[in-house]
Amino acid sequence: GAYVATDLWDTPWVDAADKTFARDVLKYSWRTGHAAVTGQVKNVASPHPQFADGQYLFHTQLNPTFYAVESPDALEPATRDTHTIFRYSENNLSAGIAHAGDYKTCVLGFPFETICDAESRQTLMQEILTFLFP
């Protein structure tokens, strides 16, 4: 969802336990908020073939159907078993990570539900579920 990384790293009420949870359990570290403005995301090469080559677009402007993502997060892999699987097209910052170790995680720096079209949401959800539950 929105601010998934910022809320655990860069707010006045954050403590060390929050950052430890993000790093040690969810397997990411925060890089920056306001990571992108165009809403364009692309798959990148990783050891996880479930995430096919593709591009996604999420809402960044106010509209009558979806809420707008004003400041998506850039997040980085926190361990060697964690990999960037998506990048923001405009600047190549990491937009999503996948971890495959003793357990799996998949964390996106933008809210899934703000992806513009239903077909893209369905494709991405299938990729995530295939990764989590092969």
Side-chain angles (χ1 to χ4, degrees), residues 1-11 28 30 33-34 67-73 75 108-111:
Y3 311 112
V4 66
T6 299
D7 282 352
L8 291 177
W9 285 83
D10 191 43
T11 57
Y28 73 82
W30 177 76
H34 306 285
Y67 66 92
V69 182
E70 297 174 0
S71 55
D73 286 333
L75 41 94
L108 305 175
F110 59 94

PDB file of all heavy atoms in Angstrom, residues 1-11 28 30 33-34 67-73 75 108-111:
ATOM      1  N   GLY A   1       0.804  -1.183   0.000  1.00  0.00           N
ATOM      2  CA  GLY A   1       0.000   0.000   0.000  1.00  0.00           C
ATOM      3  C   GLY A   1       0.852   1.253   0.000  1.00  0.00           C
ATOM      4  O   GLY A   1       2.077   1.202  -0.076  1.00  0.00           O
ATOM      5  N   ALA A   2       0.187   2.368   0.077  1.00  0.00           N
ATOM      6  CA  ALA A   2       0.873   3.650   0.107  1.00  0.00           C
ATOM      7  C   ALA A   2       1.749   3.768   1.340  1.00  0.00           C
ATOM      8  O   ALA A   2       1.361   3.369   2.430  1.00  0.00           O
ATOM      9  CB  ALA A   2      -0.150   4.786   0.063  1.00  0.00           C
ATOM     10  N   TYR A   3       2.939   4.280   1.145  1.00  0.00           N
ATOM     11  CA  TYR A   3       3.889   4.553   2.227  1.00  0.00           C
ATOM     12  C   TYR A   3       4.345   3.296   2.975  1.00  0.00           C
ATOM     13  O   TYR A   3       4.710   3.372   4.138  1.00  0.00           O
ATOM     14  CB  TYR A   3       3.303   5.573   3.221  1.00  0.00           C
ATOM     15  CG  TYR A   3       2.728   6.790   2.554  1.00  0.00           C
ATOM     16  CD1 TYR A   3       1.363   7.027   2.573  1.00  0.00           C
ATOM     17  CD2 TYR A   3       3.546   7.687   1.883  1.00  0.00           C
ATOM     18  CE1 TYR A   3       0.830   8.147   1.949  1.00  0.00           C
ATOM     19  CE2 TYR A   3       3.022   8.806   1.253  1.00  0.00           C
ATOM     20  CZ  TYR A   3       1.660   9.019   1.291  1.00  0.00           C
ATOM     21  OH  TYR A   3       1.140  10.127   0.666  1.00  0.00           O
ATOM     22  N   VAL A   4       4.342   2.164   2.304  1.00  0.00           N
ATOM     23  CA  VAL A   4       4.722   0.907   2.960  1.00  0.00           C
ATOM     24  C   VAL A   4       6.144   0.975   3.522  1.00  0.00           C
ATOM     25  O   VAL A   4       6.428   0.401   4.561  1.00  0.00           O
ATOM     26  CB  VAL A   4       4.545  -0.294   2.006  1.00  0.00           C
ATOM     27  CG1 VAL A   4       5.515  -0.226   0.838  1.00  0.00           C
ATOM     28  CG2 VAL A   4       4.682  -1.609   2.748  1.00  0.00           C
ATOM     29  N   ALA A   5       7.014   1.690   2.861  1.00  0.00           N
ATOM     30  CA  ALA A   5       8.387   1.814   3.350  1.00  0.00           C
ATOM     31  C   ALA A   5       8.567   3.075   4.190  1.00  0.00           C
ATOM     32  O   ALA A   5       9.174   3.033   5.265  1.00  0.00           O
ATOM     33  CB  ALA A   5       9.367   1.813   2.177  1.00  0.00           C
ATOM     34  N   THR A   6       8.027   4.181   3.721  1.00  0.00           N
ATOM     35  CA  THR A   6       8.171   5.437   4.451  1.00  0.00           C
ATOM     36  C   THR A   6       7.643   5.326   5.871  1.00  0.00           C
ATOM     37  O   THR A   6       8.265   5.830   6.813  1.00  0.00           O
ATOM     38  CB  THR A   6       7.444   6.573   3.699  1.00  0.00           C
ATOM     39  OG1 THR A   6       8.055   6.718   2.417  1.00  0.00           O
ATOM     40  CG2 THR A   6       7.536   7.883   4.448  1.00  0.00           C
ATOM     41  N   ASP A   7       6.493   4.672   6.055  1.00  0.00           N
ATOM     42  CA  ASP A   7       5.888   4.579   7.389  1.00  0.00           C
ATOM     43  C   ASP A   7       6.752   3.816   8.388  1.00  0.00           C
ATOM     44  O   ASP A   7       6.637   4.027   9.590  1.00  0.00           O
ATOM     45  CB  ASP A   7       4.504   3.936   7.318  1.00  0.00           C
ATOM     46  CG  ASP A   7       3.445   4.912   6.838  1.00  0.00           C
ATOM     47  OD1 ASP A   7       3.747   6.116   6.703  1.00  0.00           O
ATOM     48  OD2 ASP A   7       2.307   4.468   6.581  1.00  0.00           O
ATOM     49  N   LEU A   8       7.612   2.929   7.905  1.00  0.00           N
ATOM     50  CA  LEU A   8       8.492   2.184   8.818  1.00  0.00           C
ATOM     51  C   LEU A   8       9.894   2.768   8.920  1.00  0.00           C
ATOM     52  O   LEU A   8      10.714   2.281   9.691  1.00  0.00           O
ATOM     53  CB  LEU A   8       8.586   0.715   8.390  1.00  0.00           C
ATOM     54  CG  LEU A   8       7.320  -0.110   8.569  1.00  0.00           C
ATOM     55  CD1 LEU A   8       7.529  -1.519   8.038  1.00  0.00           C
ATOM     56  CD2 LEU A   8       6.883  -0.144  10.014  1.00  0.00           C
ATOM     57  N   TRP A   9      10.170   3.821   8.135  1.00  0.00           N
ATOM     58  CA  TRP A   9      11.529   4.366   8.114  1.00  0.00           C
ATOM     59  C   TRP A   9      11.636   5.865   8.337  1.00  0.00           C
ATOM     60  O   TRP A   9      12.630   6.334   8.862  1.00  0.00           O
ATOM     61  CB  TRP A   9      12.203   4.049   6.768  1.00  0.00           C
ATOM     62  CG  TRP A   9      12.624   2.637   6.656  1.00  0.00           C
ATOM     63  CD1 TRP A   9      11.835   1.589   6.301  1.00  0.00           C
ATOM     64  CD2 TRP A   9      13.906   2.081   6.913  1.00  0.00           C
ATOM     65  NE1 TRP A   9      12.561   0.424   6.319  1.00  0.00           N
ATOM     66  CE2 TRP A   9      13.831   0.693   6.677  1.00  0.00           C
ATOM     67  CE3 TRP A   9      15.126   2.631   7.301  1.00  0.00           C
ATOM     68  CZ2 TRP A   9      14.919  -0.141   6.826  1.00  0.00           C
ATOM     69  CZ3 TRP A   9      16.219   1.789   7.449  1.00  0.00           C
ATOM     70  CH2 TRP A   9      16.100   0.419   7.217  1.00  0.00           C
ATOM     71  N   ASP A  10      10.653   6.623   7.903  1.00  0.00           N
ATOM     72  CA  ASP A  10      10.857   8.064   7.834  1.00  0.00           C
ATOM     73  C   ASP A  10       9.660   8.858   8.351  1.00  0.00           C
ATOM     74  O   ASP A  10       9.135   9.717   7.659  1.00  0.00           O
ATOM     75  CB  ASP A  10      11.160   8.469   6.388  1.00  0.00           C
ATOM     76  CG  ASP A  10      11.644   9.897   6.275  1.00  0.00           C
ATOM     77  OD1 ASP A  10      12.465  10.318   7.106  1.00  0.00           O
ATOM     78  OD2 ASP A  10      11.195  10.595   5.341  1.00  0.00           O
ATOM     79  N   THR A  11       9.225   8.560   9.547  1.00  0.00           N
ATOM     80  CA  THR A  11       8.167   9.323  10.192  1.00  0.00           C
ATOM     81  C   THR A  11       8.598   9.609  11.630  1.00  0.00           C
ATOM     82  O   THR A  11       9.448   8.905  12.174  1.00  0.00           O
ATOM     83  CB  THR A  11       6.826   8.563  10.190  1.00  0.00           C
ATOM     84  OG1 THR A  11       7.014   7.299  10.824  1.00  0.00           O
ATOM     85  CG2 THR A  11       6.308   8.355   8.774  1.00  0.00           C
ATOM     86  N   TYR A  28      13.259  -5.598   3.171  1.00  0.00           N
ATOM     87  CA  TYR A  28      13.580  -4.422   2.379  1.00  0.00           C
ATOM     88  C   TYR A  28      14.103  -3.316   3.282  1.00  0.00           C
ATOM     89  O   TYR A  28      13.920  -3.326   4.490  1.00  0.00           O
ATOM     90  CB  TYR A  28      12.368  -3.907   1.593  1.00  0.00           C
ATOM     91  CG  TYR A  28      11.320  -3.227   2.443  1.00  0.00           C
ATOM     92  CD1 TYR A  28      11.460  -1.903   2.825  1.00  0.00           C
ATOM     93  CD2 TYR A  28      10.189  -3.914   2.854  1.00  0.00           C
ATOM     94  CE1 TYR A  28      10.507  -1.277   3.616  1.00  0.00           C
ATOM     95  CE2 TYR A  28       9.225  -3.298   3.636  1.00  0.00           C
ATOM     96  CZ  TYR A  28       9.396  -1.985   4.014  1.00  0.00           C
ATOM     97  OH  TYR A  28       8.460  -1.381   4.799  1.00  0.00           O
ATOM     98  N   TRP A  30      14.338   1.122   3.161  1.00  0.00           N
ATOM     99  CA  TRP A  30      13.761   2.294   2.515  1.00  0.00           C
ATOM    100  C   TRP A  30      14.846   3.106   1.837  1.00  0.00           C
ATOM    101  O   TRP A  30      15.934   3.272   2.371  1.00  0.00           O
ATOM    102  CB  TRP A  30      13.060   3.134   3.580  1.00  0.00           C
ATOM    103  CG  TRP A  30      12.467   4.410   3.105  1.00  0.00           C
ATOM    104  CD1 TRP A  30      11.318   4.560   2.386  1.00  0.00           C
ATOM    105  CD2 TRP A  30      12.956   5.722   3.357  1.00  0.00           C
ATOM    106  NE1 TRP A  30      11.069   5.895   2.166  1.00  0.00           N
ATOM    107  CE2 TRP A  30      12.065   6.634   2.755  1.00  0.00           C
ATOM    108  CE3 TRP A  30      14.065   6.222   4.028  1.00  0.00           C
ATOM    109  CZ2 TRP A  30      12.244   8.009   2.810  1.00  0.00           C
ATOM    110  CZ3 TRP A  30      14.241   7.588   4.078  1.00  0.00           C
ATOM    111  CH2 TRP A  30      13.337   8.462   3.471  1.00  0.00           C
ATOM    112  N   GLY A  33      10.999   8.380  -0.249  1.00  0.00           N
ATOM    113  CA  GLY A  33       9.615   8.613  -0.621  1.00  0.00           C
ATOM    114  C   GLY A  33       9.645   9.496  -1.855  1.00  0.00           C
ATOM    115  O   GLY A  33      10.712   9.923  -2.307  1.00  0.00           O
ATOM    116  N   HIS A  34       8.523   9.775  -2.436  1.00  0.00           N
ATOM    117  CA  HIS A  34       8.463  10.610  -3.645  1.00  0.00           C
ATOM    118  C   HIS A  34       9.392  10.057  -4.723  1.00  0.00           C
ATOM    119  O   HIS A  34      10.131  10.801  -5.368  1.00  0.00           O
ATOM    120  CB  HIS A  34       8.818  12.063  -3.329  1.00  0.00           C
ATOM    121  CG  HIS A  34       7.987  12.646  -2.225  1.00  0.00           C
ATOM    122  ND1 HIS A  34       6.683  13.026  -2.406  1.00  0.00           N
ATOM    123  CD2 HIS A  34       8.268  12.873  -0.927  1.00  0.00           C
ATOM    124  CE1 HIS A  34       6.206  13.480  -1.266  1.00  0.00           C
ATOM    125  NE2 HIS A  34       7.144  13.399  -0.354  1.00  0.00           N
ATOM    126  N   TYR A  67      -7.874   6.305  -6.139  1.00  0.00           N
ATOM    127  CA  TYR A  67      -7.127   7.370  -5.478  1.00  0.00           C
ATOM    128  C   TYR A  67      -5.765   7.512  -6.151  1.00  0.00           C
ATOM    129  O   TYR A  67      -5.272   6.588  -6.786  1.00  0.00           O
ATOM    130  CB  TYR A  67      -7.000   7.139  -3.976  1.00  0.00           C
ATOM    131  CG  TYR A  67      -6.188   5.957  -3.531  1.00  0.00           C
ATOM    132  CD1 TYR A  67      -4.832   6.088  -3.256  1.00  0.00           C
ATOM    133  CD2 TYR A  67      -6.767   4.704  -3.341  1.00  0.00           C
ATOM    134  CE1 TYR A  67      -4.078   5.024  -2.821  1.00  0.00           C
ATOM    135  CE2 TYR A  67      -6.020   3.622  -2.900  1.00  0.00           C
ATOM    136  CZ  TYR A  67      -4.680   3.784  -2.643  1.00  0.00           C
ATOM    137  OH  TYR A  67      -3.933   2.713  -2.210  1.00  0.00           O
ATOM    138  N   ALA A  68      -5.182   8.671  -6.038  1.00  0.00           N
ATOM    139  CA  ALA A  68      -3.911   8.959  -6.695  1.00  0.00           C
ATOM    140  C   ALA A  68      -2.754   8.674  -5.746  1.00  0.00           C
ATOM    141  O   ALA A  68      -2.826   8.966  -4.561  1.00  0.00           O
ATOM    142  CB  ALA A  68      -3.869  10.414  -7.126  1.00  0.00           C
ATOM    143  N   VAL A  69      -1.702   8.103  -6.283  1.00  0.00           N
ATOM    144  CA  VAL A  69      -0.485   7.853  -5.514  1.00  0.00           C
ATOM    145  C   VAL A  69       0.380   9.096  -5.625  1.00  0.00           C
ATOM    146  O   VAL A  69       0.949   9.371  -6.676  1.00  0.00           O
ATOM    147  CB  VAL A  69       0.271   6.619  -6.044  1.00  0.00           C
ATOM    148  CG1 VAL A  69       1.504   6.347  -5.207  1.00  0.00           C
ATOM    149  CG2 VAL A  69      -0.635   5.404  -6.072  1.00  0.00           C
ATOM    150  N   GLU A  70       0.453   9.837  -4.542  1.00  0.00           N
ATOM    151  CA  GLU A  70       1.188  11.098  -4.575  1.00  0.00           C
ATOM    152  C   GLU A  70       2.682  10.929  -4.382  1.00  0.00           C
ATOM    153  O   GLU A  70       3.470  11.713  -4.894  1.00  0.00           O
ATOM    154  CB  GLU A  70       0.638  12.035  -3.505  1.00  0.00           C
ATOM    155  CG  GLU A  70      -0.803  12.421  -3.739  1.00  0.00           C
ATOM    156  CD  GLU A  70      -1.379  13.227  -2.601  1.00  0.00           C
ATOM    157  OE1 GLU A  70      -0.660  13.502  -1.621  1.00  0.00           O
ATOM    158  OE2 GLU A  70      -2.560  13.587  -2.693  1.00  0.00           O
ATOM    159  N   SER A  71       3.069   9.921  -3.620  1.00  0.00           N
ATOM    160  CA  SER A  71       4.498   9.748  -3.356  1.00  0.00           C
ATOM    161  C   SER A  71       4.837   8.275  -3.133  1.00  0.00           C
ATOM    162  O   SER A  71       4.945   7.817  -2.013  1.00  0.00           O
ATOM    163  CB  SER A  71       4.933  10.590  -2.155  1.00  0.00           C
ATOM    164  OG  SER A  71       4.146  10.283  -1.030  1.00  0.00           O
ATOM    165  N   PRO A  72       5.015   7.542  -4.230  1.00  0.00           N
ATOM    166  CA  PRO A  72       5.396   6.137  -4.093  1.00  0.00           C
ATOM    167  C   PRO A  72       6.785   6.014  -3.479  1.00  0.00           C
ATOM    168  O   PRO A  72       7.603   6.923  -3.582  1.00  0.00           O
ATOM    169  CB  PRO A  72       5.380   5.621  -5.526  1.00  0.00           C
ATOM    170  CG  PRO A  72       5.588   6.827  -6.365  1.00  0.00           C
ATOM    171  CD  PRO A  72       4.971   7.967  -5.620  1.00  0.00           C
ATOM    172  N   ASP A  73       7.018   4.894  -2.830  1.00  0.00           N
ATOM    173  CA  ASP A  73       8.301   4.642  -2.176  1.00  0.00           C
ATOM    174  C   ASP A  73       9.277   3.918  -3.092  1.00  0.00           C
ATOM    175  O   ASP A  73       8.880   3.094  -3.914  1.00  0.00           O
ATOM    176  CB  ASP A  73       8.108   3.770  -0.931  1.00  0.00           C
ATOM    177  CG  ASP A  73       7.491   4.512   0.230  1.00  0.00           C
ATOM    178  OD1 ASP A  73       7.665   5.742   0.318  1.00  0.00           O
ATOM    179  OD2 ASP A  73       6.836   3.867   1.059  1.00  0.00           O
ATOM    180  N   LEU A  75      12.277   1.285  -2.570  1.00  0.00           N
ATOM    181  CA  LEU A  75      12.789   0.396  -1.534  1.00  0.00           C
ATOM    182  C   LEU A  75      13.834  -0.516  -2.136  1.00  0.00           C
ATOM    183  O   LEU A  75      13.824  -0.777  -3.326  1.00  0.00           O
ATOM    184  CB  LEU A  75      11.656  -0.400  -0.883  1.00  0.00           C
ATOM    185  CG  LEU A  75      10.569  -0.951  -1.809  1.00  0.00           C
ATOM    186  CD1 LEU A  75      10.883  -2.368  -2.208  1.00  0.00           C
ATOM    187  CD2 LEU A  75       9.247  -0.870  -1.100  1.00  0.00           C
ATOM    188  N   LEU A 108       5.808  -3.988  -2.726  1.00  0.00           N
ATOM    189  CA  LEU A 108       5.789  -2.966  -3.760  1.00  0.00           C
ATOM    190  C   LEU A 108       5.819  -1.587  -3.122  1.00  0.00           C
ATOM    191  O   LEU A 108       5.222  -1.389  -2.061  1.00  0.00           O
ATOM    192  CB  LEU A 108       4.526  -3.095  -4.616  1.00  0.00           C
ATOM    193  CG  LEU A 108       4.282  -4.450  -5.267  1.00  0.00           C
ATOM    194  CD1 LEU A 108       2.935  -4.456  -5.989  1.00  0.00           C
ATOM    195  CD2 LEU A 108       5.413  -4.812  -6.211  1.00  0.00           C
ATOM    196  N   GLY A 109       6.439  -0.640  -3.752  1.00  0.00           N
ATOM    197  CA  GLY A 109       6.522   0.715  -3.241  1.00  0.00           C
ATOM    198  C   GLY A 109       5.327   1.578  -3.622  1.00  0.00           C
ATOM    199  O   GLY A 109       5.285   2.760  -3.317  1.00  0.00           O
ATOM    200  N   PHE A 110       4.353   0.994  -4.278  1.00  0.00           N
ATOM    201  CA  PHE A 110       3.133   1.680  -4.691  1.00  0.00           C
ATOM    202  C   PHE A 110       1.956   0.747  -4.405  1.00  0.00           C
ATOM    203  O   PHE A 110       2.116  -0.474  -4.396  1.00  0.00           O
ATOM    204  CB  PHE A 110       3.184   2.036  -6.180  1.00  0.00           C
ATOM    205  CG  PHE A 110       3.365   0.837  -7.071  1.00  0.00           C
ATOM    206  CD1 PHE A 110       2.268   0.200  -7.626  1.00  0.00           C
ATOM    207  CD2 PHE A 110       4.627   0.317  -7.321  1.00  0.00           C
ATOM    208  CE1 PHE A 110       2.430  -0.929  -8.428  1.00  0.00           C
ATOM    209  CE2 PHE A 110       4.809  -0.803  -8.113  1.00  0.00           C
ATOM    210  CZ  PHE A 110       3.706  -1.431  -8.673  1.00  0.00           C
ATOM    211  N   PRO A 111       0.775   1.275  -4.161  1.00  0.00           N
ATOM    212  CA  PRO A 111      -0.379   0.424  -3.869  1.00  0.00           C
ATOM    213  C   PRO A 111      -0.824  -0.381  -5.092  1.00  0.00           C
ATOM    214  O   PRO A 111      -1.079   0.189  -6.159  1.00  0.00           O
ATOM    215  CB  PRO A 111      -1.467   1.408  -3.449  1.00  0.00           C
ATOM    216  CG  PRO A 111      -0.742   2.659  -3.083  1.00  0.00           C
ATOM    217  CD  PRO A 111       0.477   2.695  -3.956  1.00  0.00           C
TER     218      PRO A 111
END
